[in-house]
Amino acid sequence: MPDRYVVIGNPIAHSKSPRIHALFAASTGQDMRYEALLAPLDGFAATVREFVAAGGRGANVTVPFKEEAFRLSTRLSDRARAAGAVNTLTFTGAEILGDNTDGAGLVRDLRANLGVAIAGKRVLLLGAGGAARGVILPLLAEHPAELTVANRTVDKALALASAFPGCTGCGLDALDSRVFDLVINATSAGLAGGVSPRLTFAYAPGALAYDMVYGQDTDFLRQAVAAGATTADGLGMLVEQAAEAFLVWRGLRPDTAPVLAALRSA
Ligand code: ATR
């Protein structure tokens, strides 16, 4: 029997994770099976328990269950605790280990795939929801010159920044005349056709604009192109957070380049 893993979400049918992990398993010769598992909106914990009872070894968790997975975990990694959310569960006996590989995935995509060093850079993170919170600790660990969290609702940016020494918070309108080397969009404005506000900061020469959303020409990316920045979407982050979860479960890191290339060409 191959070891069983799932990605749990609602909705889940269009998840790319089963394809990504199947490619990882094939390239590393791991005997495992990875499937998409739909949980009812009010039935996440029951779905996890059923999967564990059936012999499941681990699960990725996606929208809208990451905070619930955090609460369900009996033990948390430091990065999951900082994120306040869990995207990777490992089941060992009665223990449910909660981890969060999103931030590590972002940092690895920036460094290894896009060749962008974060150390010494002026970094702007747009948004103060779960997606933003999940990447702050790994970004700070790279020692940027500054990390500014800016959000439409100022209070949320201030509250989030105050939880992370080395990080400052402000409203979007406080960005006028500021200059950044790396700008990461962690708002949900690009999803469902939502429109980003007009952003008034400047991109430094050679700056990168990174949207965590993938496969969409978002308003954020269009504004960045007009401002002369290089752009990237979040497909690399998706693949790298999966590779990091695979490493947690299987103890080895798969080669991500062919997987990313396969997804890009699909
Ligand atoms: P997630 O878990 O994806 O981060 P979330 O917690 O609902 O989702 O957070 C969504 C983020 O996108 C918030 O920072 C939100 O700003 P507010 O706190 O002001 O609501 C931001 N956001 C969503 N739509 C936006 C828009 N049209 N313009 C600017 N920010 C937007």
Side-chain angles (χ1 to χ4, degrees):
M1 265 286 272
D3 292 339
R4 288 186 60 205
Y5 298 86
V6 285
V7 56
I8 305 176
N10 186 329
I12 200 62
H14 294 104
S15 171
K16 295 187 192 302
S17 293
R19 168 121 196 261
I20 293 171
H21 281 276
L23 291 169
F24 288 165
S27 70
T28 56
Q30 294 289 297
D31 187 20
M32 58 184 276
R33 206 166 87 201
Y34 186 112
E35 291 159 328
L37 182 56
L38 178 74
L41 290 174
D42 61 353
F44 173 72
T47 301
V48 170
R49 291 209 174 89
E50 227 169 82
F51 179 62
V52 173
R57 301 286 295 267
N60 282 134
V61 180
T62 187
V63 178
F65 299 125
K66 290 185 186 183
E67 282 83 12
E68 212 176 329
F70 177 90
R71 292 191 295 272
L72 192 68
S73 300
T74 58
R75 196 155 67 87
L76 291 164
S77 67
D78 288 345
R79 57 192 184 180
R81 198 170 292 114
V86 157
N87 80 332
T88 303
L89 295 168
T90 306
F91 311 119
T92 327
E95 183 176 272
I96 301 177
L97 174 62
D99 198 353
N100 191 313
T101 66
D102 285 331
L106 169 66
V107 167
R108 201 168 173 94
D109 189 36
L110 287 166
R111 287 178 48 166
N113 300 334
L114 299 166
V116 173
I118 300 161
K121 297 285 175 64
R122 294 161 290 184
V123 180
L124 170 62
L125 182 60
L126 296 169
R133 185 183 174 123
V135 300
I136 292 181
L137 191 70
L139 284 173
L140 285 172
E142 296 296 306
H143 304 292
E146 60 181 75
L147 177 58
T148 301
V149 175
N151 193 47
R152 179 175 61 182
T153 308
V154 186
D155 288 354
K156 281 170 68 180
L158 296 177
L160 184 56
S162 71
F164 294 91
C167 181
T168 54
C170 66
L172 297 176
D173 51 5
L175 295 174
D176 287 12
S177 75
R178 301 271 309 270
V179 181
F180 296 97
D181 304 294
L182 171 61
V183 181
I184 299 161
N185 184 24
T187 72
S188 52
L191 298 168
V195 174
S196 301
R198 181 101 216 109
L199 299 167
T200 54
F201 58 85
Y203 285 95
L208 176 72
Y210 189 103
D211 203 322
M212 284 196 198
V213 170
Y214 60 83
Q216 285 184 48
D217 183 23
T218 62
D219 204 44
F220 165 76
L221 290 179
R222 278 195 297 272
Q223 288 190 44
V225 169
T230 303
T231 60
D233 76 355
L235 191 66
M237 177 178 171
L238 176 76
V239 173
E240 295 298 341
Q241 64 76 29
E244 189 76 17
F246 192 92
L247 173 66
V248 168
W249 291 329
R250 312 300 298 183
L252 72 172
R253 181 183 289 284
D255 185 8
T256 52
V259 177
L260 191 48
L263 291 185
R264 282 257 181 253
S265 67

